[in-house]
Every structure is written in structure tokens, then in C-alpha cells.
Amino acid sequence: MGIRFILMVNKQGQTRLAQYYEWLTLEERRALEGEIVRKCLARTEQQCSFVEHRNYKIVYRRYASLFFLVGVDNDENELAILEFIHLLVETMDRHFGNVCELDIMFHLEKAHFMLEEMVMNGCIVETSKSNILSPIQLMEKMS
Amino acid sequence: MGRWRSPFFADMIRSIRACKTAAEERAVVRKECAAIRAAINENDQDYRHRNLAKLMFIHMLGYPTHFGQMECLKSIASAGFPEKRIGYLGLMLLLDERQEVLMLVTNSLKQDLNHTNQYIVGLALCALGNICSAEMARDLAPEVERLLQFRDPNIRKKAALCSIRIIKKVPDLAENFINPAAALLKEKHHGVLITGIQLVTDICKVSTEALEFFRKPKCLDGLVKTLRDVVNSPYAPEYDIAGITDPFLHIRLLKLLHVLGQGDADASDCMNDILAQVATKTESNKNAGNAILYECVETIMSIEDNGGLRVLAINILGRFLSNRDNNIRYVALNMLMKAITVDAQAVQRHRATILECVKDLDASIRKRALELVYLLVNESNVKPLTKELIDYLEISDQEFKGDLTAKICSMVEKFSPDKIWYIDQMLKVLSEAGNFVKDEVWHALIVVISNASDLHGYTVRALYRAVQTSIEQIVLMFLHQESLVRVAIWCIGEYGDMLVNNVGVLNIEDPITVTESDAVDVVEIAIKHHSSDITTKAMAMVALLKLSSRFPSCSERIRDIIVQNKGSLVLELQQRSIEFNSIVEKHQNIRSTLVERMPVLDEATFSGRRAGSLPATVSTSSGTSLNLPNGVAKPAAAPLVDLLDLSSDDAPVPSSSGNDFLQDLLGVDVSPASVQPGTSQAPKAGTDVLLDLLSIGSPPVQNNSTPSDILSSSQDNKSSVAILDGLSPAPSGGAASMIDLLDGFVPNSPKPEDNGPAYPSIVAFESSSLILTFNFSKPPGNPQTTLIQATFTNLSPNVYTDFVFQAAVPKFLQLHLDPASGNTLPASGNGSITQTLRVTNSQHGKKPLVMRTRIAYKLNNRDVLEEGQINNFPRDL
């Protein structure tokens, strides 16, 4: 299992999506999110996209006002995770059309369903955008 | 109805977004939760979907939502796909690992895994893959195994990942999955392939049988071929990233090869060609390509040795290291740390570049680079590396100085070729970043200085110079270089004469003229400066006392400085001031003995004691920061005990009483040393002071005990207070009685202590049948010794035979037992046994006697043992 959690956070530091692949209590989550957000949001564009925190490595990437932060094990390939974040964003873009913070907020379940098609139990499920989106679009057509 | 209807999901989000404060947000959430609970209670099915969506949002904000779990179960149990979908999502997000909820859901999962609608099967697989427990794994493994062969690839890929969770929870099940997993490797569908590869990787990690199976050429060749196909595949728009087809699949394949090749030469051999191809052919101008190269290097470094490939890998890392993209440099540093165990020479070639990375603007890169440099240090390069790092220390960020200082100190200590270099480097570090230096580091420095007898003069002059050069910026100095000042003060105190008389000048030194009064100036500044903490001031006080003897001409001036602290609010200083003043003023005859140079500190003892805390300095790297708060007494204080308290048990000191006395003085410094300026020291100082009083009380002449003994014998405050009570029976001020004590140890003014046996008898032990009484007397002229006549009386109707009395006392007491008058104790009080005990109290007048007793006898041939502690001795024994 490589990915331990995925967070989407706006530039004010508010969590907009949180998916954990290991169990943490609510208090632990709040504390962890606070610490990570403080650490990552303070960094400049020139600095690298990796931050070591506790026993995690955080790979993060900023898209407009939204930060995507992925916590991984220490032996995970950081560059691949960076690429994965981009894939995630592209997939969401394709579905929502230029995804923004509000899309994720108002369609939180949908964002989760998309994520479900991409990551399960911390492992990558699928890397083809159309394969990821087809079940979701199918369901939309039906309802 | 009067029921407050829960507004739509979007409305809730809007109202939450509109909140300006956290309190407002809490209020909105509370209201929403109340409405959702009400809906749950009414079993409102129309709004269930919407309520669950709201709960997920509320959960994400960090509010408790456990009450929604059962709602998820209901939703899962309903027939429709949308209800099930939101139910499973809610389950995965809101679940709090409560086993009973998991048990309830197992049944629904089982039904859904066997559902005719493949989308519902997909939902169940996904949920199971994320939340499955060991119990569920056992129950549902057969279903999942079957689904690995399902007709739709979207189900197969999810079943593969679900299997990973199952074998992680129950490794015994791994063998069942070997064959189905092997079948997945032959698939063409990328999703199935990538999940199948991950499954095989995880099976190999838990089962050696599987590892052997997949290492066989028939499997391995297939994998190599798959990788080759992916590498050479024509443009595939759906999987293309920057001209590379599915880099994620590349990377997973390389990871699996890593697992299979590690520790198996044949398997490693099979994959050489393809690894070489990946390493040479992959485009490195985009992140995706670099991610593959990075993984390829990792695999090459892990599999069995192939010189050519390793050269290729190290070259890739070299390229990475000089890349301008910080991400690439970061992973290069990360990988070089692993490469160092494989090929240290190759990594050493990049030393200069790595050293530059230590100075990078990016904290993540600096941290990695520093750790790498630390691994690169050896005897041959320690000098240039240390120089570079110390130079950089001067200009580095404040927050990086701590890490950097710890690493420099650690490498200087580990690899220093000689003592003079060690001392030089440490002085530089102390001058640059004194306040980032951990206590044990400067303690160690003092031990080394103490042992380098030929360098005493050199060191004290160098320290004097270091302190002098920054004396203009004295404010700054004391803020940042407290430990430099402490070491300097200690050395000036010990070796002040060498400073003034230029003893042992090395030919590398510039000549320096220091007068006695110059040396005293430095110490005076330290003791008077407002930002110096207690430890520094206390050390300065001791240094002054020592200098008062070394520099007779300054004796008057020193006394004045000492006296100024008589009114110090810090009890420690106040007390020392009074004592030292008394020594300077009244005890010229013993002063020079008292302040003799400290004997060489035992390095072995110090490093032995320190061993426990040493790894801390070395491994500050590992994520957990080991910056113990300075107030934490244990690690910080322990080395100090070693350092200053010479009379530790394992290093007996064959020294004069004067030295013993000083040790006590110094030993006392232990406690305040752990209190740093700025930390709240009120409660701590309280106990410290008690301990101080206790240890200063020990008369030097007969001092068998050590300060640490005293400390340990009075662990809790209560007992030390009790001892204190006994210490100053007269209501005179503590300080005054201290003077008395000091006066008391002038040989020709003995205290009138030899009064007669005016001590009342006590009942030392009493049970229903046995009474032990003590009568006391004092031999004339020896106030420390007490003769105790013990009388045992047996009140029971039975005779006690084989009667033996034993006693034990703490270290500050000496006990001698004379033979008893007999070993049979007659019944019914018709006679008694008497026995004489002689106790010598080295803490006479300070501590009362205390004794543990053990009485053994036979009653009707049965062994009886009675134990007790005697605390009710008369005071002043």
C-alpha cells in the first residue's frame, strides 16, 4: 500500500476533500491536516513538491487555489505520485470542465466516486481517464 | 409538523461557507446534525441519500458523525444502486473501526458480491478493499477469489486490489491467490495488469513460496516481456503521458522486478537487458520519464550485482543531481542515500554537489543533503567537510542551525583525528551556534579538554580569545553562545594560571598577554550579565573561587564580586556566595587545597554513561525529532553528574577532603543546570534547592557518600523535607546554619557535641508478641557514633529458637553489630536477648538515623520472619 491519504485543501487551508486509506481518529486527522497544511502552504513555488512529515512523505501540487496533497509511505516513488495528482486533476477536469474548489464542494460524493475508481486501499486501480469516468457517466445518464 | 426540515445539501454548504468564525460554523453544523438525527429517528427514507452526503461533508470538516453509521447500513441494504453507492461510500468514510458495524455489514457485502448487477458487485468490492477486517477477509475470500476471473475487467481489477487487503489481513490466505494472480499478469487490459502486478508484489512479500514461484523463468520472462511491450508500445492516447505509455504501469512493473530480483542472481540476470533498455531509452525531459528512471535506478540498486547496470544507475543519479528542477534533485539525494551502501565510492564522487545542496534554499533538500553528507564522512574527508559545514553554519537559517550543529558535532566527535583538531572545531561550533549545542556536547568537550593535559594552556587561551573577540557584542554573545561562555569560564577557573603565565604555548599560537585582572573581567561579565542563566552564573561563581586562590592579587576583588551575589534571589547563588565568601575570608589555610585543579575526568565513565543518549545525536535524522526540551532533567542532567561529580561510584577518587568538598559544591550544580533560562523554573527550582541544601550539608572530612546517593535516598520531596527538618533544628536561617557548618569543619573549632547519653529509649519494633527496644549512648569525644543497646523481649507463651537479628542502613551510615547475648528467646517475657549496635553517622547533625531490620526465628520449628523499618530515632544521633 503506497498512498496513505489524499487531501484537497484550498489556499486558506480549509479541507475540501479528505480520503484516508488507514484509520485515524477524528482528532488525529484534524491535527495531521492542520500540521501538513501549515507546512506545505508556507512553501514557495520554487521549492520542491515533497515534504517529510512524521513518518509520511507528503507529495503536493497546487492548481490555482486548490492544493492536492498526497501522503505516501517512505518507499513510494514521489515523482510518480506527482504524476498521479496530475492525472487526478485531468480526470476531474474532463468531468467537471476546468474543475474548481466549488465543484468539489458541491459534488463531494461525485469527487469521491471518481477517486474510488482511481485508488483503492492505497493502490492505483486505473490510469485511463475514460475507464475511470465511464461508470460515473453511465450512472449520471441513468438518474 | 413543527419539524425543522433539513435544507438541501447545497444550502448547507452555502451556509457553512458563509460562516465567518469557527463558532458560527459549529452552530450551523450542530443544527444540521440535530436535523439529521431527527430524520434518522423518523426513519426518513426520502432524505437518506441527502443526509448521508451532508454527513460526509460534516465529517470532512472534522465533526463526529458516528450516528450516521447505521444509516449507511440501511442504505446499503436497500435495493437500488444509487442508495447502495452512497451507503458504501458513507461506510468507508464514516466508519470508526467498530467491529460490530463491520460484522453487520459482512452479510450485505456477501450478497452484493454475488449480485447479478456487475456495478453493484464493483461497489461491494471497492468497499471490502478499503475496510475489510481479518474476520471479513476469512468470510469473503472465496467470493473475491472467484471474482478474479469475472468476465468484466473492471471487476477483475477491483477484485485484485481487494485480494491485497485480504492477504495483508490474513497472510495465510496468500497461497490461494497465487494462481489467479499469475493469470492476471497475462492480461492486456492496463487496469487489470497494474492491479494484478500490485497483487503479485504483495503476495511475494508475505509468502516465500509465491516469491519462488514468480521467480521461475516462465513467470519472470512473461513479466520482462510485458515491460518490454509497454516500453516499446506505439502511441496509445488513452494511456499516454508526455510521450510515454502508462508510466504508472512501468513503475509497478519495475517495483515487482525489484522484489523478484533482490537476493536472487538468476532472476536478476533475467531482467538485466530490459533494465538497461529502460535506463538508456527513457526520455528524461519530463516528469513522467524521470519517475520511471528513478524507479529503474531503485530496482538496479536493489537487485543482485551487475557492475555495468550500477554505473548506469549512478550516472542517472549524477544527472538528476545537477538538474535544475528541485524535485529531481530531491529524489536524487534520496536515492544516493540508498546507493551509498552499494557503492560508496561512486557516491563520494558527487560529494561537492551534495555539499552544495546542504546550502540550498529549500528545507526539504537541505535536510536530505545533510543526512547524505553525514553518511559520506570518513576519516579521510572529515576535515574538509567539517570546514565547509562550519563555514555554512555562520550563514544558515536559524531553524536549520539545530540540525546542522547536531550533525557537525556528531561527525567531529566520531572522526576527529586528534584532540587539538576536535577542540578547535568545537570552539568554532560553539562560537557560531552555541545555543544550538546540546548539553552533552559541551560536557563532552570539557571531558576531552580535561584529558588533554598538554593542551590546557592552548585551550584556555583560545577560549579566552573567542570570548574576548565577541566581548564588544556581549549582548549577542550571551544570547547565542551560552555554552561557549560556560566552557570558557570552566577552563579559566581551572587553568587560569596557564592563561596568565602563557604555559604550554604551541608554536601555532599567536602570543597573547592576559593579566590576572583581565581573566577575572571575563568571569565577572558572565556572572553579572542579565541574560546569563543560573548554570552559567553558578559556574562563574566556582571559577571565581578557584581564581581567588590562583590569583592572590585579585582575591579582594573576587571576594567583592562574590559578596554581591549574597542578595541573589536564586537561592543556589545566594548560598554559594555566602559559603565562598566565608572560604575566601576566613579559611585561607585550606583554600588552596579546596580549589585544587580537578583531577582528570574519566572519559570512559563519561562515554559509558552517555551511551544511552548518544544515539539521540546521531539519529536526529529519523523523522522523530529528538530535541528534548531542555527542562527534561534526565538526559540533560546525567552527563553533568558525570562531569562535575567526580565521586561517582565507579570512579573512586583518591583525593583530599578539599576536593571532595568541591565535588559536592559542583555536584550541586547538577540540578539547576537542567533548568534553562526562559523555561518556567519555579516548581523545579524548589526541589533543586532542597537537594542543594542536602548535599552542601555533607561535612567534607568523613564524606563517604556522594551527592548522587543523597539524591537517590531522598527521591521524593517529602522525605527530603523531612530530612531538612532534621537538618536545621534551630530556627536560624538556612544560610546562617550553613556558615556554621563551614566553620564547623575548621579542625581546631570542634562543636560542643559530646554531651552525655541524654537520648530517650525507643521501641524500635513491636508486634503482638515481640518487642525490640533501643537504648542509646554516645562514646565521649565521638559525636558521630552512637551505641545502641537492643533488647528483645518475647511476650508469647512459646520459646523462640534460632533467633537472629539483622539490620541494614543507608550509605551515609556505618553499622557494626556485636554478637547477641544468645539465640534463644524465652517465652512470656521471662528474659531477653541483648545485642549492641554501633552506628556512625557521616551526616551527623544533618540526617537522622534510619534503619531496616529483619528478625528471624523459629517458633515450634516453623520459620518466622519479621521485617520493619525504624524511623523514630531521636534527632541528632
Side-chain angles (χ1 to χ4, degrees), chain B residues 187-398:
Chain B
E187 299 255 1
K188 289 279 171 279
H189 186 281
H190 279 218
V192 182
L193 205 46
I194 198 170
T195 51
I197 290 163
Q198 292 177 92
L199 173 58
V200 170
T201 312
D202 279 296
I203 293 179
C204 288
K205 282 181 187 162
V206 296
S207 155
T208 44
E209 188 193 328
L211 187 58
E212 289 310 317
F213 177 84
F214 287 107
R215 269 176 180 164
K216 284 189 194 133
K218 95 176 150 146
C219 282
L220 190 55
D221 289 345
L223 279 172
V224 169
K225 182 178 177 301
T226 311
L227 181 54
R228 186 171 296 124
D229 289 348
V230 181
V231 170
N232 298 326
S233 86
Y235 177 68
E238 197 42 47
Y239 292 100
D240 185 81
I241 295 179
I244 296 167
T245 303
D246 207 343
F248 303 103
L249 184 57
H250 276 86
I251 288 165
R252 290 295 141 189
L253 274 163
L254 288 166
K255 272 192 193 298
L256 177 56
L257 292 182
H258 167 173
V259 171
L260 296 177
Q262 196 163 25
D264 187 315
D266 291 340
S268 300
D269 223 37
C270 281
M271 55 187 81
N272 277 342
D273 289 348
I274 186 66
L275 290 178
Q277 192 191 341
V278 173
T280 48
K281 294 274 169 62
T282 309
E283 282 287 338
S284 64
N285 51 2
K286 285 274 166 52
N287 180 57
N290 284 326
I292 294 174
L293 284 173
Y294 177 45
E295 198 62 51
C296 187
V297 170
E298 166 109 54
T299 304
I300 291 173
M301 290 297 177
S302 315
I303 64 170
E304 291 314 295
D305 192 31
N306 176 311
L309 275 183
R310 293 235 162 117
V311 171
L312 214 53
I314 295 273
N315 286 344
I316 292 175
L317 290 182
R319 272 203 328 264
F320 274 18
L321 203 54
S322 50
N323 200 306
R324 278 163 62 203
D325 184 343
N326 274 342
N327 288 341
I328 307 291
R329 284 198 294 152
Y330 176 90
V331 295
L333 291 168
N334 209 10
M335 187 55 70
L336 284 169
M337 280 183 74
K338 293 179 187 166
I340 203 164
T341 51
V342 176
D343 189 350
Q345 268 328 96
V347 183
Q348 289 282 4
R349 278 200 293 279
H350 297 291
R351 203 170 59 216
T353 322
I354 297 166
L355 208 51
E356 282 311 301
C357 291
V358 175
K359 305 169 189 172
D360 201 273
L361 287 172
D362 187 337
S364 293
I365 290 187
R366 276 198 309 247
K367 189 160 177 263
R368 281 273 141 245
L370 181 60
E371 276 170 28
L372 188 53
V373 166
Y374 183 70
L375 291 178
L376 285 174
V377 183
N378 57 30
E379 281 83 0
S380 61
N381 62 21
V382 63
K383 284 192 174 182
L385 281 179
T386 307
K387 185 180 178 308
E388 282 276 346
L389 293 182
I390 289 180
D391 288 349
Y392 178 60
L393 186 58
E394 202 176 332
I395 51 166
S396 67
D397 282 358
Q398 285 298 318

Side-chain angles (χ1 to χ4, degrees), chain B residues 386-490:
Chain B
T386 307
K387 185 180 178 308
E388 282 276 346
L389 293 182
I390 289 180
D391 288 349
Y392 178 60
L393 186 58
E394 202 176 332
I395 51 166
S396 67
D397 282 358
Q398 285 298 318
E399 66 260 38
F400 192 49
K401 277 195 168 125
D403 275 350
L404 191 54
T405 312
K407 285 278 190 282
I408 296 175
C409 293
S410 178
M411 61 199 242
V412 168
E413 238 173 273
K414 241 164 104 183
F415 295 108
S416 72
D418 47 53
K419 283 190 169 160
I420 184 163
W421 186 80
Y422 172 86
I423 291 171
D424 280 346
Q425 304 312 310
M426 289 312 297
L427 294 196
K428 280 188 205 158
V429 173
L430 290 182
S431 314
E432 287 303 339
N435 276 13
F436 294 98
V437 169
K438 293 201 177 64
D439 278 351
E440 61 250 36
V441 170
W442 66 265
H443 297 161
L445 176 61
I446 287 187
V447 174
V448 170
I449 293 173
S450 159
N451 278 279
S453 51
D454 48 333
L455 296 175
H456 285 167
Y458 169 77
T459 310
V460 67
R461 281 187 294 276
L463 278 162
Y464 177 81
R465 233 179 255 127
V467 174
Q468 268 299 320
T469 43
S470 34
I471 215 139
E472 291 83 26
Q473 322 144 4
I474 196 105
V475 179
L476 273 175
M477 180 181 84
F478 280 88
L479 283 177
H480 299 302
Q481 298 153 14
E482 189 112 26
S483 48
L484 174 74
V485 173
R486 288 182 194 166
V487 178
I489 285 171
W490 189 87

Side-chain angles (χ1 to χ4, degrees), chain B residues 526-641:
Chain B
I527 206 167
K528 286 197 174 155
H529 200 275
H530 61 88
S531 69
S532 301
D533 75 352
I534 309 182
T535 307
T536 310
K537 288 188 176 177
M539 289 179 78
M541 191 85 92
V542 176
L544 284 172
L545 177 66
K546 295 209 162 193
L547 290 181
S548 77
S549 163
R550 311 232 197 300
F551 302 159
S553 66
C554 291
S555 193
E556 272 303 296
R557 186 180 157 207
I558 287 173
R559 201 182 55 105
D560 289 345
I561 303 172
I562 289 177
V563 168
Q564 283 166 14
N565 280 284
K566 222 159 137 180
S568 170
L569 289 177
V570 181
L571 197 49
E572 167 71 24
L573 295 178
Q574 189 191 93
Q575 194 181 313
R576 296 294 167 262
S577 160
I578 290 163
E579 291 157 8
F580 292 178
N581 179 36
S582 158
I583 293 171
V584 176
E585 224 167 45
K586 298 190 204 161
H587 305 288
Q588 300 287 349
N589 50 338
I590 56 160
R591 186 178 60 187
S592 57
T593 342
L594 266 179
V595 301
E596 264 177 8
R597 195 162 291 157
M598 277 177 86
V600 170
L601 299 160
D602 185 20
E603 265 175 310
T605 312
F606 179 75
S607 49
R609 291 263 184 114
R610 209 176 152 221
S613 60
L614 192 66
T617 12
V618 181
S619 66
T620 26
S621 51
S622 59
T624 50
S625 98
L626 275 151
N627 290 334
L628 287 162
N630 283 325
V632 172
K634 224 178 167 188
L640 242 187
V641 173

